[in-house]
Amino acid sequence: TMMALDQAVRSGKALYAGISNYPADKTREAASILWELGTPCLIHQPKYSMFERWVEAELLDVLEEEGIGCIPFSPLAQGLLTDRYLNGIPGGSRAAKSWGFLKSEQVTPALDKVRKLNALALERGQNLAQMALAWVLKDPRVTSVLIGASSVAQIETNVDCLRNPAFTVEELNLIGEILK
């Protein structure tokens, strides 16, 4: 795979090499191979959100050590960390469809946490999506974040997360308690 990435860059078909969702040990290995080939790995796209925190165990440290940027995808947990599911699963939503990545059996058990997180977001003067994006961006090792907006209004709302990016220790502790 790393040889294919190297070839894509060398042939001009890609400007840079990046990987997605590799665990820490494989990220270190991939970065080493790419350096040896002369095509450094510039970015890693892990799945990361308040509900998907595996990157915190080791990956973020490896990315920092290797000088690789981190641009998480699915920071809103397929829409779960928005106001869309606060009152259950609406018809036409991702969770209502049988073929989507977000399953109804994932939504229902998480609703209590989502509602508590939403209450905190409102106290912070944000909607839940804005707080969830600010939370992912709070770590300086996170370079940027991928948002899957389907409208200009969603983009504008999501960018407004930058109006209140900082969290108090109390807020982070409360989020930690909610997510247990």
Side-chain angles (χ1 to χ4, degrees), residues 16-104:
Y16 309 103
I19 56 177
S20 182
N21 243 17
Y22 278 44
D25 61 332
K26 293 296 182 188
T27 296
R28 192 180 305 279
E29 183 180 354
S32 175
I33 293 167
L34 283 168
W35 272 111
E36 288 174 21
L37 294 171
T39 302
C41 182
L42 296 186
I43 200 70
H44 188 297
Q45 288 181 267
K47 187 174 186 181
Y48 182 38
S49 73
M50 289 179 162
F51 289 137
E52 186 85 32
R53 298 177 63 177
W54 66 274
V55 304
E56 295 171 358
E58 294 178 63
L59 181 62
L60 289 173
D61 290 337
V62 169
L63 296 178
E64 183 176 30
E65 292 164 15
E66 297 290 336
I68 300 172
C70 179
I71 302 181
F73 70 93
S74 198
L76 301 179
Q78 298 292 314
L80 188 54
L81 290 168
T82 69
D83 59 6
R84 183 166 184 124
Y85 295 98
L86 290 174
N87 298 312
I89 301 171
S93 67
R94 290 180 182 184
K97 298 174 182 168
S98 62
W99 50 264
F101 290 107
L102 183 63
K103 304 291 183 202
S104 60

Side-chain angles (χ1 to χ4, degrees), residues 29-178:
E29 183 180 354
S32 175
I33 293 167
L34 283 168
W35 272 111
E36 288 174 21
L37 294 171
T39 302
C41 182
L42 296 186
I43 200 70
H44 188 297
Q45 288 181 267
K47 187 174 186 181
Y48 182 38
S49 73
M50 289 179 162
F51 289 137
E52 186 85 32
R53 298 177 63 177
W54 66 274
V55 304
E56 295 171 358
E58 294 178 63
L59 181 62
L60 289 173
D61 290 337
V62 169
L63 296 178
E64 183 176 30
E65 292 164 15
E66 297 290 336
I68 300 172
C70 179
I71 302 181
F73 70 93
S74 198
L76 301 179
Q78 298 292 314
L80 188 54
L81 290 168
T82 69
D83 59 6
R84 183 166 184 124
Y85 295 98
L86 290 174
N87 298 312
I89 301 171
S93 67
R94 290 180 182 184
K97 298 174 182 168
S98 62
W99 50 264
F101 290 107
L102 183 63
K103 304 291 183 202
S104 60
E105 55 269 14
Q106 294 170 290
V107 173
T108 305
L111 283 179
D112 185 52
K113 292 177 182 183
V114 169
R115 290 180 183 126
K116 288 176 181 176
L117 291 167
N118 184 63
L120 176 59
L122 294 176
E123 287 176 23
R124 287 174 44 85
Q126 295 176 308
N127 65 33
L128 179 55
Q130 291 167 338
M131 184 179 80
L133 291 170
W135 184 88
V136 168
L137 289 167
K138 76 186 180 325
D139 192 308
R141 297 169 295 184
V142 173
T143 310
S144 186
V145 66
L146 294 174
I147 55 172
S150 59
S151 69
V152 172
Q154 279 183 339
I155 294 169
E156 290 170 346
T157 297
N158 289 342
V159 169
D160 279 346
C161 77
L162 300 174
R163 291 182 188 224
N164 188 12
F167 289 86
T168 66
V169 171
E170 293 79 18
E171 289 170 334
L172 291 174
N173 288 339
L174 180 56
I175 290 169
E177 285 297 313
I178 292 169

Side-chain angles (χ1 to χ4, degrees), residues 3-21:
M3 290 176 71
L5 290 174
D6 175 64
Q7 183 58 36
V9 172
R10 287 183 188 280
S11 68
K13 293 179 180 169
L15 295 176
Y16 309 103
I19 56 177
S20 182
N21 243 17

